[in-house]
Amino acid sequence: MSRLLTVLLGSAALLAATAPPPASWAADAPVSKAAKISKEDWALHEKVLTLDTHLDTPEHFARQGWSMVDRHEVKADGTQVDLPRMNAGGLDGGFFVIYTPQGALSAEGYRGARDFALERATEIREMVAAHADKFELAYTADDAERINKAGKKFVFQSIENSWPMGEDLTLMQTFHATGVRLAGPVHFKNNQFADSSTDKPIWHGFSPLGLRWLAEANRLGIVIDVSHASDDVVDQAVQLSKVPIIASHSGAKAIYDHPRNLDDGRLKKIADAGGVICINSVYLKNTNASPERLAALKALGTAPDSETATEAEIVAYLKKRAEVDAKFPPVRASFEDFMASLTHTLKVVGPEHVGIGADWDGGGGVVGFEDVADLPKVTARLKAAGYTDADLAAIWGGNVLRVVRQVQDYAAKAAK
C-alpha cells in the first residue's frame, strides 16, 4: 500500500479551502508580507545550513509524471517537498527516508521488505543521479557542508523501520554501503528488533537481536533514531549506545499526550547523552475525526497507489476528498501548535539539542505550515523569541551534523 494515503490524511483538507493558498516564496523575491518574514530574518535563514531529518519524499520518486525539479502544490497533489520549494524555503538538504510499512515477521515478509527497501534506496540514488547539477549524496557531515557551499542540495539517506533487515544484520552493512547514515529500529508495530511506542510491548525494549542491531549501528557509524520507538527502547538506547542518538521526528508530550511524543524526562535523557530531538509537525493536538467523517472517508475508498496510479487518478481522488473535507471538515493542528512543541523542547533541553524533522510527505504539515516553503517562519519566530543567530544555526543543522560527526568518529576509531 502506498504511503500517499497517510500524506493525504494530513494535507487533503487544503483542497476544501475557499481562500487562496498561502503566499509562496519566489526564489527571486523571498520576502513575503503574508508570511511576515523580514529581510533580516530571511538573510539569517539563508545564511545558516538548514536541514530536515525526516523527508518522506522518496515515496513520490517513482510516481508517474512527478519530478523533484518541478514546482508542485500541496493543495493540488498532496506533496510538500520539491526543488523549487526547497529553494523557496531555504532548505539545503536533509535525510531522505527509506520507509517500509510493517508486515509479517517471517522469512517471506523479510524478503519482500528487503527488496522493497533496496528499491527505494535505488530510487533515491537515481533521483540524485538524474539531477546531479542540483543534488548530491552526502555520507558525512563534511559532505553536507561542502555540497551546500557548492550551491547544491545534499541528500542523506535514512531508514524508517529496520524490518527489511530481517534477522540478517549483514544487511545493515548493505544499507550503509548504499549511503544510509541514520536508522530507526521500529515503526508503528513491534518487530524483530524492538517495541513500538504505538503497540503493546512484547520485548519491553529491544529484543536480543535488537541489541545486536544497536551495536552494529555504532560499529558502522549509523546514527540511531528513536522516533516511533517505545519509552523502554529510548531508555535502553540512551544507556547502551556508545554515541549520542537522535529522535528524527518526535514532539513534546507535555504539549500533547500521545505515545509518539516524548516526556520531559526522556527529552532530557537524550540531550544529557549529547543527542538531538527533532520536532515533528504531527501529534500536536487531538485531531480525531467525527463518526460522520470516518464514515464518509470509508465510503470514499482506498487512496490510489502513487507508484501505479496515473496523476489523473490521484487528482480525481483528491477532488473527492475535498468534497468530504468540505462537508465534514477535519480537525487540524496549526503552526502555533508546532511552535508550542518546538519552544517547549527548547526550554527543556536548550538549543544545543533540538532540530527540525517535520515529517514532510509523511503526514506532517499543519495550518500555516503546509510545506517546506514555509520554513522561514520558524526562523522568524525563534529570532523574535530571543534566540541568537548561533542558536538558529545549531537548531537548523549544526546539532544534527555534530551527532553525525561524533557517531562516525567513534566508528572510525573503533575500527582501528
Side-chain angles (χ1 to χ4, degrees), residues 44-349:
L44 171 60
H45 189 77
E46 276 283 79
K47 178 182 176 182
V48 302
L49 183 147
T50 304
L51 67 82
D52 187 288
T53 47
H54 198 82
L55 301 170
D56 275 303
T57 312
E59 161 73 15
H60 303 293
F61 288 170
R63 183 169 170 175
Q64 296 182 35
W66 196 92
S67 172
M68 188 65 179
V69 297
D70 292 339
R71 177 65 183 250
H72 305 271
E73 296 291 339
V74 63
K75 68 184 293 289
D77 68 2
T79 67
Q80 297 170 305
V81 182
D82 53 41
L83 179 61
R85 284 181 288 180
M86 291 178 76
N87 288 335
L91 181 62
D92 297 314
F95 288 81
F96 286 72
V97 180
I98 301 166
Y99 161 72
T100 312
Q102 184 63 52
L105 304 180
S106 64
E108 183 179 2
Y110 294 146
R111 283 195 299 270
R114 176 201 62 197
D115 294 348
F116 178 91
L118 289 171
E119 181 178 354
R120 182 54 47 84
T122 300
E123 290 168 359
I124 294 171
R125 297 175 69 89
E126 287 178 341
M127 185 283 290
V128 173
H131 309 292
D133 59 329
K134 300 176 178 67
F135 294 91
E136 186 175 337
L137 291 168
Y139 301 94
T140 68
D142 287 348
D143 283 345
E145 293 174 345
R146 172 185 55 77
I147 294 165
N148 180 47
K149 289 179 181 177
K152 294 193 288 186
K153 306 298 184 185
F154 58 87
V155 176
F156 283 110
Q157 294 179 68
S158 66
I159 287 180
E160 183 177 31
N161 192 9
S162 290
W163 172 54
M165 297 179 195
E167 297 178 350
D168 178 9
L169 287 179
T170 64
L171 283 171
M172 187 176 281
Q173 298 180 47
T174 301
F175 283 108
H176 181 266
T178 73
V180 168
R181 294 299 180 265
L182 170 70
V186 68
H187 194 242
F188 274 116
K189 296 291 184 180
N190 302 334
N191 65 15
Q192 72 272 31
F193 295 116
D195 290 333
S196 168
S197 64
T198 47
D199 201 356
K200 184 177 180 180
I202 57 174
W203 304 110
H204 300 283
F206 283 102
S207 70
L209 182 64
L211 294 176
R212 290 170 50 204
W213 175 96
L214 183 151
E216 185 69 353
N218 281 176
R219 186 186 74 82
L220 290 171
I222 296 175
V223 180
I224 292 170
D225 177 9
V226 294
S227 287
H228 281 286
S230 71
D231 288 347
D232 287 338
V233 172
V234 174
D235 294 343
Q236 292 169 17
V238 169
Q239 179 183 4
L240 298 174
S241 177
K242 304 298 184 182
V243 284
I245 66 172
I246 77 165
S248 72
H249 58 303
S250 293
K253 187 168 284 190
I255 299 302
Y256 179 50
D257 189 358
H258 189 281
R260 272 282 284 110
N261 290 332
L262 295 166
D263 59 57
D264 286 1
R266 288 183 173 83
L267 293 176
K268 291 176 182 176
K269 276 187 179 182
I270 293 171
D272 288 347
V276 180
I277 304 96
C278 303
I279 302 303
N280 203 350
S281 61
V282 190
Y283 310 110
L284 298 171
K285 65 183 291 185
N286 187 342
T287 57
N288 291 340
S290 67
E292 294 80 8
R293 177 173 171 80
L294 289 174
L297 290 173
K298 183 177 181 180
L300 181 60
T302 304
D305 189 305
S306 63
E307 294 189 12
T308 59
T310 66
E311 195 68 11
E313 289 171 333
I314 294 173
V315 171
Y317 178 87
L318 285 168
K319 289 182 178 178
K320 291 179 180 179
R321 271 296 304 264
E323 295 173 3
V324 173
D325 292 340
K327 189 172 183 179
F328 305 108
V331 179
R332 299 186 70 208
S334 70
F335 180 60
E336 297 305 319
D337 297 316
F338 170 80
M339 288 303 303
S341 183
L342 176 58
T343 55
H344 176 84
T345 306
L346 284 165
K347 290 175 182 177
V348 171
V349 304

Side-chain angles (χ1 to χ4, degrees), residues 7-30:
V7 178
L8 295 177
L9 289 174
S11 63
L14 292 172
L15 294 165
T18 55
S24 299
W25 291 85
D28 58 346

